[in-house]
Amino acid sequence: MNKLLLLLIIAAFTSANSHLAGVARAGAVDKAILVGQWTGPLPVPGGSRQISITVSQLSDGSTSATLHVAVARLNNSPMRVVSNADSVVFYADNVGCRFAGQPVADGQQLRGQWQQPGFRATLVLDRVPPTNAAAVAQEAPAAYKTEDVRVSSANSPNSEIGLGGTLNMPAGAGPFPAIVLLSDVGTAEHLDGTYSLLTSLADYLTRQGIAVLRLDDRGTGRSEAVPRANTGTELVADAQSAMNFLRTRPGIDPMRVGLLGHGEGANVALLAAAQASAPAFVVALGAAGVTGQELLARQTSLVNQPGEPDTAQATFARKQAQLMALARREAKKQLAGGANAEQVQIRLAQEQLRLSMEAKKRSDALYKRQYAMLEIIRQTSDNAQARAIVANMLKQIYPALSSATAQTRAGQLTSPWYRSFLIFNPQSELGKVTCPALLLHGTADTQVPAAANLTPLEKGLKANKRVNIQKLEGVNHYFQMPASEQALAAGTEQPSVASTDALETIGEWVFQQVKQ
């Protein structure tokens, strides 16, 4: 924890009559110098929101303040003003947020931390001259430049296949550190057309002073399709070409170019880190640690497309929750009727165990059937025959599935990409990764569960002493913020917001690798 943040936390939570041993307390910040309007951009997932605090002095000498956040529809929300030894804290009690800041720049700025449930960020507010007061609600201008670029990748011995991409460059002369973002398979990066993890990461990291290159997936946007399947080898070649492209760019430090991948892209990043001309660092988000066949077989449903809700699993989980709620209500009735409390608790625990065993039994049975189906794909070279068998098995495993959907999904599961993924073993090259590596998983990831994948990844990377492995509570495979922790500043609650914890964890770790 840095010294500034520690001071801010002490200032926000220490009462006026408490004392810090051995530290002399200066007089409180003069509230009179705060009178006026203060405004600045609050960094939030996907961009920024303009924050405005207006401080007024009342006729009795006391100070009041109001908060304005246009996008969050907060207008003149009251704030308490508490002046401490070296900072001032603004509390917006009715919306559950606060800003603890210190006057800097000869009193023309307030710099500190904005905090609220599930969200925190550094915020700098500038004093607004009276003549510019009407401009306080305007959005801040872009903090960086964006450029469409073209990258050549040697994906075959005889030709180079073009990749389209978007390069974000921070404001200033540089040279800047840089990072290439590698996407997950399918539509995972663009859920419902509203959410893109890599877009959120690109914006967040660029605002931290890091150049960011995002490539269009093969066969989409401005990237040409590869004649063969998008195998790991070809995707690694694309990642290496992207790094070399950045290393030749003016304004970018060629010694500080890294890789960040999500899902399949995370495994591609780790493979690229095991090759010659490795990245300066690598970030793997939701990487697989087991074989492709094992990973797919463990998924709760193979008929769902990437990012599509698993309705069968959701229905099963909801039924289990209802049965457990019924058991708790029955237990309360029994206790109210004078039943033995210990016996009631034992029966409740037995019901919980029964439901857990039922869920495990369902999961194990599904795993066995899906693994057998995937093994048939792996062993059957005749694609038409494999599709027919898989379509039949899908109908047996998922009785509610229509024949048309079963045929479509069978075609996908027998495609070259899936066949390549079934035999993919992420352990094969991990021992060659020597650069700093961050492995991040969400505890709510049902596609690449942390429990099953982090341990083998850690084992494969055990020779690398610069590996940081972390789990983020309640975060899913797409690193979305849980709906219960949506940031007020991001607008109305919706699931399509990147996890603040994920963005900050990645940003802080990357900064530690690239700082000079």
Side-chain angles (χ1 to χ4, degrees):
M1 182 178 295
N2 61 52
K3 293 181 180 179
L4 174 59
L5 182 54
L6 181 59
L7 286 172
L8 294 174
I9 292 174
I10 292 172
F13 290 99
T14 304
S15 63
N17 59 359
S18 65
H19 297 277
L20 299 177
V23 180
R25 292 175 61 86
V29 172
D30 185 1
K31 293 180 182 178
I33 69 170
L34 300 173
V35 172
Q37 289 181 310
W38 303 82
T39 186
L42 175 69
V44 298
S48 64
R49 300 293 181 262
Q50 200 73 2
I51 297 291
S52 176
I53 296 177
T54 302
V55 182
S56 304
Q57 192 166 35
L58 306 180
S59 57
D60 62 358
S62 62
T63 304
S64 69
T66 56
L67 170 68
H68 178 79
V69 186
V71 177
R73 298 180 178 86
L74 283 178
N75 190 25
N76 296 327
S77 183
M79 304 186 85
R80 290 187 294 118
V81 185
V82 178
S83 182
N84 295 284
D86 55 0
S87 66
V88 59
V89 186
F90 298 89
Y91 294 92
D93 298 317
N94 61 335
V95 291
C97 61
R98 68 175 181 267
F99 170 60
Q102 290 180 313
V104 295
D106 296 326
Q108 297 305 302
Q109 286 185 333
L110 293 175
R111 180 181 180 86
Q113 288 283 313
W114 173 280
Q115 290 181 282
Q116 63 189 77
F119 182 79
R120 66 183 184 277
T122 298
L123 175 62
V124 178
L125 298 179
D126 293 305
R127 183 188 292 278
V128 180
T131 55
N132 294 336
V136 297
Q138 293 180 357
E139 289 287 338
Y144 52 84
K145 297 177 292 184
T146 300
E147 176 187 354
D148 291 338
V149 296
R150 188 77 174 169
V151 178
S152 294
S153 180
N155 254 311
S156 68
N158 302 318
S159 64
E160 291 190 343
I161 305 172
L163 285 159
T166 302
L167 177 63
N168 292 356
M169 288 291 289
F176 301 106
I179 191 166
V180 179
L181 304 187
L182 306 174
S183 67
D184 199 356
V185 65
T187 59
E189 302 302 346
H190 298 276
L191 303 181
D192 303 324
T194 62
Y195 173 74
S196 169
L197 170 62
L198 297 192
T199 298
S200 298
L201 278 168
D203 178 81
Y204 185 86
L205 292 171
T206 312
R207 291 175 185 275
Q208 309 303 311
I210 298 168
V212 179
L213 174 60
R214 289 171 293 161
L215 297 176
D216 296 336
D217 291 338
R218 283 295 181 185
T220 66
R222 292 156 292 155
S223 292
E224 298 173 28
V226 178
R228 304 182 306 279
N230 281 346
T231 64
T233 300
E234 292 168 331
L235 295 175
V236 167
D238 287 347
Q240 291 174 316
S241 297
M243 286 191 293
N244 289 333
F245 171 83
L246 289 175
R247 288 166 178 154
T248 63
R249 292 279 301 191
I252 289 178
D253 184 349
M255 301 301 294
R256 294 187 293 162
V257 175
L259 289 174
L260 181 153
H262 171 228
E264 182 192 31
N267 286 107
V268 171
L270 290 170
L271 284 171
Q275 311 304 313
S277 190
F281 59 90
V282 61
V283 179
L285 308 180
V290 297
T291 64
Q293 185 172 356
E294 177 74 14
L295 183 67
L296 288 174
R298 287 291 181 190
Q299 291 186 5
T300 57
S301 176
L302 274 180
V303 297
N304 294 98
Q305 302 297 323
E308 187 178 38
D310 184 351
T311 53
Q313 175 64 16
T315 300
F316 177 77
R318 185 164 53 250
K319 180 182 177 182
Q320 284 218 315
Q322 290 170 349
L323 289 172
M324 197 61 211
L326 180 62
R328 291 193 181 99
R329 287 197 297 270
E330 183 62 27
K332 287 182 180 179
K333 289 180 182 178
Q334 292 172 355
L335 290 172
N340 182 279
E342 184 177 352
Q343 292 179 348
V344 171
Q345 288 300 322
I346 289 174
R347 285 195 292 269
L348 195 61
Q350 288 173 337
E351 178 64 5
Q352 178 70 68
L353 179 61
R354 185 188 72 80
L355 291 173
S356 297
M357 292 179 66
E358 183 181 329
K360 186 177 186 305
K361 182 179 178 181
R362 177 184 185 272
S363 177
D364 288 346
L366 183 63
Y367 165 75
K368 288 178 182 178
R369 299 184 76 176
Q370 292 190 155
Y371 192 93
M373 183 178 67
L374 295 171
E375 182 66 12
I376 287 173
I377 296 173
R378 198 171 68 84
Q379 297 288 352
T380 307
S381 58
D382 186 324
N383 228 36
Q385 185 179 38
R387 278 198 305 271
I389 296 172
V390 170
N392 184 41
M393 291 188 73
L394 285 173
K395 284 286 293 177
Q396 293 179 25
I397 298 173
Y398 309 101
L401 196 67
S402 70
S403 297
T405 303
Q407 290 288 342
T408 299
R409 191 60 177 144
Q412 294 170 335
L413 290 171
T414 55
S415 67
W417 183 90
Y418 271 98
R419 286 185 175 277
S420 174
F421 186 68
L422 287 177
I423 61 174
F424 170 67
N425 182 4
Q427 295 292 322
S428 60
E429 300 289 307
L430 288 179
K432 300 178 183 177
V433 177
T434 59
C435 67
L438 172 65
L439 271 60
L440 209 58
H441 267 70
T443 60
D445 188 343
T446 59
Q447 295 193 37
V448 190
N453 290 275
L454 275 182
T455 299
L457 286 171
E458 185 176 11
K459 182 179 178 180
L461 291 164
K462 64 181 180 180
N464 188 341
K465 303 306 180 185
R466 297 186 291 174
V467 176
N468 187 327
I469 298 177
Q470 297 188 45
K471 290 186 285 187
L472 298 177
E473 195 66 34
V475 173
N476 63 13
H477 183 66
Y478 306 112
F479 289 82
Q480 291 168 290
M481 183 182 292
S484 60
E485 298 181 8
Q486 291 298 301
L488 169 150
T492 56
E493 287 193 7
Q494 55 178 338
S496 301
V497 177
S499 163
T500 303
D501 283 345
L503 294 177
E504 292 187 349
T505 299
I506 295 165
E508 290 171 7
W509 186 85
V510 170
F511 180 76
Q512 290 299 315
Q513 311 314 310
V514 302
K515 67 179 182 180
Q516 291 180 321

